[in-house]
C-alpha cells in the first residue's frame, strides 16, 4: 500500500497521458469548428483551403527543421529517430490540428471569440474522459503487477 500511494502520481505522469490529452483537444477543435461536417459550399472551400495552406506552412517548416544537414530537430548523431523531432511529433501534430481547425472555424464564423476556443478545447477533453479513466485504471493495475512480480 505504501508503494501504491507513494507512486500514484508518478505512474500517471507520462508522455502518453500528455499525448492523450493533446490529441483529445485537437479532436474537440476539429469537431467544434465544423471541419468534420464539411459540405462543399464556397465559404467552406475557402476556409478549407486556408486551413490546408496553414498545414502546408507547418509541413514546410518541419521539413526545413529536419531535412537539412545539421538540422535543429535531428539527434546529435543526425538521425530522426530518436531525436527531438520524434519526441515532439504528436504535440506538433496536435498543435497544427488545433490551429488549422481554429482558422477554419474563424473563417466560417464559428469561432468568434476566445471563449469559443476554450469551449472547443474543453469539448475535446470531455469526449476523451472515458479513455482517461481507462488509462488511469490500466496504468495503476499494470504498474502494481509489475511491482509485485518484477
Amino acid at each position: 500500500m505504501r508503494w501504491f500511494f507513494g507512486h500514484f502520481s508518478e505512474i500517471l505522469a507520462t508522455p502518453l497521458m500528455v499525448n492523450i490529452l493533446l490529441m483529445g483537444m485537437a479532436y474537440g477543435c476539429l469537431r467544434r469548428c465544423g471541419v468534420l461536417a464539411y459540405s462543399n459550399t464556397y465559404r467552406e472551400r475557402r476556409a478549407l483551403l486556408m486551413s490546408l495552406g496553414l498545414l502546408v506552412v507547418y509541413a514546410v517548416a518541419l521539413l526545413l527543421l529536419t531535412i537539412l544537414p545539421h538540422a535543429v530537430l535531428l539527434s546529435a548523431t543526425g538521425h530522426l529517430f530518436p531525436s527531438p523531432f520524434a519526441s515532439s511529433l504528436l504535440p506538433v501534430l496536435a498543435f497544427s490540428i488545433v490551429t488549422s481547425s481554429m482558422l477554419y472555424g474563424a473563417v466560417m464564423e464559428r469561432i468568434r471569440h476566445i471563449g469559443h476556443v476554450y469551449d472547443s478545447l474543453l469539448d475535446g477533453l470531455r469526449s476523451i474522459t472515458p479513455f482517461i479513466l481507462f488509462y488511469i485504471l490500466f496504468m495503476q493495475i499494470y504498474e502494481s503487477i509489475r511491482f509485485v512480480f518484477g
Side-chain angles (χ1 to χ4, degrees):
M1 287 302 282
R2 186 180 309 145
W3 174 87
F4 183 77
F5 281 96
H7 290 87
F8 191 85
S9 296
E10 181 182 318
I11 291 169
L12 295 179
T14 64
L16 179 60
M17 180 65 150
V18 173
N19 288 335
I20 290 170
L21 293 172
L22 290 174
M23 294 314 274
M25 287 189 289
Y27 172 71
C29 289
L30 278 174
R31 194 170 72 184
R32 258 305 174 93
C33 293
V35 177
L36 300 178
Y38 181 76
S39 63
N40 201 21
T41 63
Y42 172 75
R43 186 178 212 153
E44 288 179 336
R45 279 194 307 271
R46 185 178 60 159
L48 186 64
L49 285 175
M50 291 174 78
S51 295
L52 290 176
L54 183 60
L55 288 175
V56 167
V57 168
Y58 285 144
V60 168
L62 280 177
L63 284 174
L64 290 174
L65 291 171
T66 55
I67 288 183
L68 299 175
H70 307 291
V72 174
L73 292 182
L74 293 178
S75 67
T77 58
H79 294 94
L80 272 177
F81 299 100
S83 70
F85 169 76
S87 299
S88 66
L89 191 58
L90 280 176
V92 166
L93 178 65
F95 176 76
S96 62
I97 290 172
V98 166
T99 54
S100 62
S101 62
M102 286 297 128
L103 176 63
Y104 182 89
V107 172
M108 292 297 298
E109 295 182 359
R110 292 185 178 131
I111 302 294
R112 293 191 179 106
H113 52 81
I114 196 72
H116 290 147
V117 174
Y118 292 140
D119 288 342
S120 63
L121 293 170
L122 290 175
D123 185 49
L125 290 177
R126 277 186 222 105
S127 67
I128 64 162
T129 303
F131 297 110
I132 293 172
L133 180 61
F134 177 74
Y135 170 82
I136 291 170
L137 294 173
F138 177 77
M139 288 303 291
Q140 292 301 329
I141 290 170
Y142 171 74
E143 290 295 330
S144 296
I145 290 171
R146 214 173 115 208
F147 176 75
V148 170
F149 297 111

